[in-house]
């Protein structure tokens, strides 16, 4: 519906599916090769989009609820002969509640402030399986993996036209997220103490939150056909982990890029 020319309200209900898959792992029994079933989700969403202050402010927001059946996640199977291996598994029932918002503010000519936020609350309603340490566990009540509670993005962009018809621009952005789990209940699973290992942090599958800052500066030549810019990503060289992986008795982690700098040349053909 449209309450006025600058505001849109909406609501929708949708259903989606994700095809099942067969595991590609090593095994000695037929049970190990049990396929993952088709995943389905029913999504309920309501939101708004509006412009304020003579279009100087753009605002949008949404609230949603996603009801999953047989959600596909990375699970663990005990192959006996080949140890604990990862395969795609199904969570019979789970759900996600979320809130999203975006805003863009143009307080003066050439200056744009923008930001977005996302809040997620995830929960496993029904699922029993094997942990990455080979222990049978009822995961009901646990969080879904790779779903940080809060994600925040902010950006500032300032552009100044030159007398020759070009444009100088400078900007910076920040990307922040809270902790997340690499596996279901990753923040709860403790590495077993066998009297030999010396782990300082025994919750190995919790991925800590982080904030990454990027920056840029550049010039667009008259006619907008050529842009040259210098940029930096993760300029404060913040250590960040993107994933943690279990393979039998080995735990590895994939880290994000360190501070990276570069120069870009962009050419437009009209």
């Amino acid at each position: 519906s449209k309450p006025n020319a600058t505001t849109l309200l909406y609501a929708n209900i949708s259903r989606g599916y994700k095809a099942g898959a067969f595991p590609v792992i090593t095994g000695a029994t037929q049970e190990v090769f049990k396929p993952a079933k088709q995943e389905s989700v029913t999504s309920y969403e309501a939101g708004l989009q509006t412009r304020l202050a003579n279009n100087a402010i753009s605002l949008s927001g949404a609230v949603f609820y996603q009801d999953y059946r047989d959600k596909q996640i990375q699970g663990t199977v005990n192959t006996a002969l080949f140890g604990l291996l990862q395969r795609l598994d199904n969570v019979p029932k789970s759900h996600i509640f979320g809130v999203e918002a975006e805003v863009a503010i143009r307080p003066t000519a050439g200056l744009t402030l923008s930001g977005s936020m996302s809040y997620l609350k995830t929960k496993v309603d029904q699922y029993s399986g094997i942990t990455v340490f080979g222990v049978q566990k009822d995961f009901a009540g646990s969080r879904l993996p790779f779903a940080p509670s809060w994600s925040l993005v902010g950006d500032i962009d300032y552009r100044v036209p030159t007398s020759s018809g070009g444009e100088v621009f400078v900007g910076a952005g920040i990307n922040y997220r809270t902790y997340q789990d690499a596996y279901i209940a990753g923040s709860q699973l403790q590495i077993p103490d066998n009297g030999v290992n010396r782990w300082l942090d025994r919750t190995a599958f919790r991925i800590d939150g982080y904030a990454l800052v990027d920056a840029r500066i550049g010039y667009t030549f008259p006619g907008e056909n050529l842009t040259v810019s210098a940029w930096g990503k993760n300029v404060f060289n913040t250590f960040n982990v993107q994933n943690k992986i279990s393979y039998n008795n080995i735990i590895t982690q994939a880290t994000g890029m360190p501070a990276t700098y570069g120069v870009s040349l962009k050419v437009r053909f009209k």
Side-chain angles (χ1 to χ4, degrees):
S1 64
K2 276 192 173 183
N4 55 56
T6 59
T7 301
L8 169 69
L9 301 177
Y10 71 90
N12 63 62
I13 301 175
S14 61
R15 175 167 291 182
Y17 300 89
K18 184 177 180 180
F22 287 90
V24 184
I25 59 175
T26 303
T29 63
Q30 185 174 351
E31 176 62 23
V32 171
F33 300 102
K34 178 183 177 182
K37 293 184 288 187
Q38 175 180 265
E39 169 188 311
S40 68
V41 57
T42 304
S43 181
Y44 309 85
E45 181 177 348
L48 67 85
Q49 298 174 353
T50 188
R51 298 192 303 273
L52 306 170
N54 197 25
N55 296 330
I57 300 175
S58 300
L59 178 66
S60 64
V63 178
F64 61 88
Y65 181 88
Q66 297 174 334
D67 185 14
Y68 281 91
R69 293 294 182 270
D70 293 317
K71 182 173 178 61
Q72 297 173 6
I73 54 96
Q74 195 72 7
T76 301
V77 59
N78 191 343
T79 65
L81 184 60
F82 300 100
L84 299 171
L85 297 179
Q86 304 300 303
R87 74 171 181 191
L88 209 57
D89 204 0
N90 292 107
V91 175
K93 293 182 181 181
S94 60
H95 68 267
I96 298 176
F97 169 79
V99 179
E100 295 177 336
E102 293 184 10
V103 62
I105 304 173
R106 302 168 186 84
T108 186
L111 178 63
T112 302
L113 308 174
S114 60
S116 63
M117 62 77 65
S118 172
Y119 170 75
L120 295 177
K121 184 176 182 180
T122 69
K123 184 179 179 181
V124 173
D125 299 309
Q126 178 186 340
Y127 176 55
S128 180
I130 299 175
T131 72
V132 291
F133 302 121
V135 179
Q136 187 72 29
K137 177 179 173 61
D138 183 358
F139 291 97
S142 299
R143 293 169 41 152
L144 290 169
F146 298 106
S149 294
W150 290 96
S151 298
L152 306 174
V153 176
D155 188 85
I156 179 171
D157 187 82
Y158 186 55
R159 298 174 179 267
V160 180
T162 62
S163 58
S164 62
E167 185 179 64
V168 176
F169 61 88
V170 61
I174 183 170
N175 189 321
Y176 168 78
R177 65 185 56 187
T178 54
Y179 82 92
Q180 57 188 327
D181 294 341
Y183 294 92
I184 285 184
S187 297
Q188 306 167 16
L189 300 178
Q190 300 279 327
I191 297 177
D193 186 359
N194 60 8
V196 177
N197 55 49
R198 295 292 184 268
W199 289 82
L200 297 178
D201 181 8
R202 309 197 77 84
T203 53
F205 297 104
R206 169 186 164 124
I207 301 176
D208 291 334
Y210 55 83
L212 304 180
V213 177
D214 301 337
R216 61 191 179 274
I217 186 171
Y219 177 70
T220 299
F221 288 84
E224 300 183 351
N225 292 328
L226 182 65
T227 300
V228 60
S229 61
W231 48 265
K233 296 183 181 296
N234 189 13
V235 295
F236 295 115
N237 201 31
T238 302
F239 180 77
N240 61 99
V241 176
Q242 300 296 314
N243 195 5
K244 294 187 176 183
I245 303 166
S246 173
Y247 183 81
N248 268 326
N249 60 347
I250 300 173
I251 299 174
T252 64
Q253 65 182 16
T255 58
M257 292 290 290
T260 307
Y261 303 93
V263 176
S264 297
L265 180 67
K266 183 178 180 180
V267 180
R268 290 183 179 177
F269 297 96
K270 295 185 178 179

